[in-house]
Amino acid sequence: MSDLTHVQARLLEFLRGEVFSPQTAVSGDTDLIASGFDSVSLVSLLLFIERTYGLWVPEREITEATFKNTRALAAVVVRLLDERQSAS
Amino acid sequence: MNLTELLDSTASRWSPKPAIIEGDSIVSYAELVERIAALASQLQALGVAPGARIGLSYPNSITHVALTFALWRINAVVVPIPVECTDEELSGVAATLRLEAILARRRRGTSVSVQPEVFFTRLTPDLPADNHGLNIAFIRFTSGTTSARKGVVLSHETIRDRVLAANQALRIGPADTVMWCLPMSHHFLVTIVLYLTQGATIVLARHVVAGPFLEAVNRWRGTVLYAAPFHYALLARDASSAGICSVRLAVSTTCSLPEEVAVDFHRRFGLPLAQALGIIELGLICVNVDDPAARWNSVGRPLPDYAVHIRDPDSDGGGEVLVAGPGFFDAYDNPWIWREQLMADGWFATGDIGRKDAEGYLYLIGRNAAVINLAGRKVFPEEIEAVLNRHPAVRESRVYGTAHPRLGEVVEAEVALRSAIEPDALRVFCRAHLSADKVPSRIRMVHAVARTAVTGKVRRPIAPPVA
């Protein structure tokens, strides 16, 4: 659980600082796509996750459900990290 | 000659046919031409004069298209500005190209509302722009403060010529429905203008994730896809059973197509991806419509109107790609440089490295490193370097593209420091001045950045091909 909270906090920090304008309030429940999360944001976020966790979110995971909000996104990232750990 | 005449003549033939579909809203050719006429008179009433350069910062939409043609109708010059640009970037473009106004979806200080979501902001350039008597339709801003080639100037005639040349291979017609997901502020001429002057229907995809995109392809029976490898990678990994059997042509553009994406997409949908080579200054030079399945890694043979020459090929046949043909850019601005001054022999040196096979198919083996192609967007290193160099801790910087298996290329930087600073802090500084896609994903600290011996300019090596 602490992993999830930690990942979500880092994603939120990135989205607030580097993707959304300061006027957009982003919380764990904010619908990202409805708030203007477009393909520029998508690419920046994928690169952030790759840089931070050494993890390229596989294309099959890049769905509307994953980008529903930061909580959903963090859950996917944590699951992928767990899968990687158990595979190694 | 004016490009709106081409649209008018298409519209008179196909008036009830859908021109553009955005969500549930369908605009016919007749309605599109009416919207354009109404916007044109409003813009004229606001004092937009022939030859005036107007910035257009508007997301993909029917309105983006209508505003472009409305400006053309009153002989104004369109300068697209990506919506993701920061205010500072926008002001930079406005000052460099001497824009007289900005049309945007966002309200700014002194803006006037043209329509509920269209705002017109008048600007006061230091000097009036000089169009040198040219019938300019479009200027594409290409880089920041240090490069001499800041804007690519294209006349109405030039755009018509390149559209007609491109359609000899694409063969877009009234039976086509094009599924659109690239940003219009980066791609508009040999795409949107071509489709609308040939009577096709354009469907604006709501988002690039695979589910909604495939749903739209099937709902509207799309026949043509035109996207970057990044988008095709998303589609290729879609886990649903949705097919795309209505699609006859899927063009992959903006950067090299990774083999994995080519193979997976072909396997998943039974349709090979046709790679293309488009260059801002020139138009669409190659598209592999003849043999995309076996030669997925070729951009194809040059289109009928173009000649491609490989200069000084090495033992493997690789050398710089030179191109001759119609519809090439008219000039650069600012400073103004006529095309003829730069290509006296009629050949344009692309900076790309390529080779041709025995049948004349062109393979790109290194891209022009002065442009970074990131998932369908073109990013110019100079403007990022200019921002990095402004940070007090930075002595000098070099920005370049690095091959990325999914995105084509990503932005990276080398920085020589005056005082210690963390890469993350430099990234946050960049983001304050640049759109998110231009922030270097990796910043390396070095003692000195690489420079060319002759000019002292930052060295831009030819980027390696994507593996």
Side-chain angles (χ1 to χ4, degrees):
Chain A
M1 190 58 208
S2 67
D3 258 8
L4 186 63
T5 316
H6 187 68
V7 169
Q8 191 181 327
R10 289 202 75 174
L11 292 173
L12 269 175
E13 185 190 6
F14 172 75
L15 289 169
R16 284 174 182 149
E18 293 200 31
V19 172
F20 290 105
S21 66
Q23 292 82 11
T24 313
V26 190
S27 75
D29 295 318
T30 306
D31 184 328
L32 297 178
I33 292 177
S35 307
F37 185 83
D38 56 9
S39 58
V40 171
S41 325
L42 174 62
V43 167
S44 306
L45 181 65
L46 293 174
L47 285 170
F48 170 76
I49 295 170
E50 186 176 52
R51 186 163 73 229
T52 309
Y53 300 106
L55 174 83
W56 180 256
V57 179
E59 281 75 9
R60 68 186 141 77
E61 304 282 358
I62 300 175
T63 62
E64 277 187 304
T66 302
F67 293 93
K68 180 69 191 150
N69 53 43
T70 318
R71 192 186 308 280
L73 178 62
V76 171
V77 171
V78 169
R79 175 166 53 73
L80 292 169
L81 290 171
D82 286 348
E83 284 171 15
R84 184 175 65 182
Q85 200 166 22
S86 54
S88 65
Chain B
M1 189 265 153
N2 189 299
L3 290 165
T4 54
E5 293 158 16
L6 300 182
L7 178 66
D8 289 344
S9 98
T10 311
S12 64
R13 266 188 85 188
W14 306 99
S15 59
K17 188 178 183 285
I20 312 178
I21 298 174
E22 179 181 359
D24 288 323
S25 111
I26 302 176
V27 168
S28 70
Y29 271 93
E31 288 162 339
L32 179 62
V33 167
E34 270 173 42
R35 276 198 201 194
I36 292 167
L39 281 167
S41 12
Q42 282 180 289
L43 293 169
Q44 206 160 29
L46 284 165
V48 177
R53 300 175 176 189
I54 310 295
L56 177 62
S57 170
Y58 217 86
N60 279 9
S61 56
I62 297 168
T63 306
H64 183 120
V65 177
L67 284 169
T68 302
F69 278 93
L71 288 166
W72 286 344
R73 173 137 295 169
I74 55 174
N75 293 300
V77 176
V78 177
V79 179
I81 301 172
V83 279
E84 62 272 16
C85 281
T86 60
D87 286 351
E88 186 179 320
E89 290 174 280
L90 189 143
S91 308
V93 178
T96 307
L97 295 179
R98 300 187 172 132
L99 305 188
E100 293 187 23
I102 303 275
L103 280 163
R105 189 158 73 173
R106 250 180 342 121
R107 184 187 284 283
R108 320 186 100 75
T110 54
S111 56
V112 180
S113 170
V114 180
Q115 281 187 358
E117 285 202 314
V118 180
F119 295 97
F120 177 87
T121 314
R122 211 178 300 278
L123 305 172
T124 40
D126 297 345
L127 284 167
D130 184 356
N131 290 343
H132 294 257
L134 195 64
N135 181 22
I136 307 177
F138 205 83
I139 304 178
R140 184 172 299 289
F141 186 73
T142 63
S143 68
T145 48
T146 55
S147 163
R149 298 172 183 188
K150 290 167 184 154
V152 178
V153 177
L154 305 168
S155 67
H156 285 266
E157 292 79 4
T158 291
I159 296 169
R160 174 200 58 201
D161 292 350
R162 63 169 64 176
V163 160
L164 294 175
N167 211 32
Q168 294 201 36
L170 297 172
R171 298 181 186 283
I172 304 280
D176 280 308
T177 296
V178 182
M179 305 304 299
W180 185 255
C181 63
L182 292 172
M184 287 182 186
S185 52
H186 293 254
H187 306 266
F188 197 85
L189 304 176
V190 189
T191 49
I192 303 292
V193 173
L194 187 155
Y195 311 147
L196 290 176
T197 53
Q198 304 302 320
T201 297
I202 302 169
V203 176
L204 305 183
R206 188 167 58 84
H207 206 270
V208 298
V209 297
F213 190 83
L214 291 172
E215 204 178 287
V217 172
N218 288 301
R219 176 174 178 198
W220 302 109
R221 312 288 301 157
T223 62
V224 174
L225 310 184
Y226 203 91
F230 172 63
H231 305 115
Y232 289 119
L234 293 180
L235 293 176
R237 272 61 177 218
D238 171 65
S240 78
S241 59
I244 52 166
C245 53
S246 55
V247 176
R248 67 170 179 89
L249 176 65
V251 177
S252 173
T253 182
T254 77
C255 61
S256 314
L257 177 65
E259 179 170 14
E260 197 189 338
V261 176
V263 169
D264 289 356
F265 186 91
H266 193 175
R267 188 182 298 140
R268 169 72 178 77
F269 296 107
L271 180 78
L273 290 173
Q275 281 210 78
L277 172 62
I279 294 171
I280 297 172
E281 284 92 338
L282 311 185
L284 186 71
I285 305 308
C286 293
V287 52
N288 189 1
V289 288
D290 295 329
D291 191 16
R295 287 181 244 226
W296 63 268
N297 54 343
S298 167
V299 292
R301 288 188 280 223
L303 269 54
D305 291 348
Y306 298 101
V308 169
H309 174 69
I310 306 294
R311 177 157 63 186
D312 302 333
D314 61 18
S315 55
D316 297 325
E320 188 177 13
V321 177
L322 308 187
V323 184
F328 285 12
F329 71 112
D330 295 278
Y332 287 117
D333 194 33
N334 161 8
W336 190 275
I337 310 166
W338 290 99
R339 177 190 68 217
E340 291 78 7
Q341 292 172 258
L342 292 166
M343 36 182 289
D345 59 356
W347 293 95
F348 181 84
T350 62
D352 290 332
I353 302 294
R355 67 177 174 83
K356 286 204 260 185
D357 68 15
E359 280 80 31
Y361 285 80
L362 178 66
Y363 299 79
L364 294 179
I365 48 185
R367 304 299 283 244
N368 180 346
V371 186
I372 302 170
N373 289 285
L374 172 79
R377 297 183 147 68
K378 289 185 192 297
V379 174
F380 298 91
E382 293 91 346
E383 71 173 308
I384 304 167
E385 287 164 2
V387 168
L388 281 168
N389 294 346
R390 268 173 19 211
H391 193 285
V394 173
R395 192 171 74 238
E396 54 180 354
S397 63
R398 181 172 77 94
V399 171
Y400 48 91
T402 304
H404 186 284
R406 291 293 186 265
L407 299 173
E409 291 175 300
V410 293
V411 179
E412 296 197 355
E414 276 183 357
V415 173
L417 295 179
R418 290 180 202 283
S419 54
I421 185 168
E422 287 301 310
D424 276 352
L426 276 179
R427 255 200 298 277
V428 168
F429 178 77
C430 286
R431 180 63 188 101
H433 302 278
L434 297 165
S435 57
D437 53 336
K438 294 176 189 157
V439 177
S441 64
R442 207 166 68 108
I443 299 180
R444 287 196 323 130
M445 303 305 181
V446 296
H447 291 296
V449 305
R451 288 178 180 278
T452 59
V454 183
T455 61
K457 279 181 157 181
V458 168
R459 189 167 59 88
R460 304 209 181 284
I462 296 298
V466 173

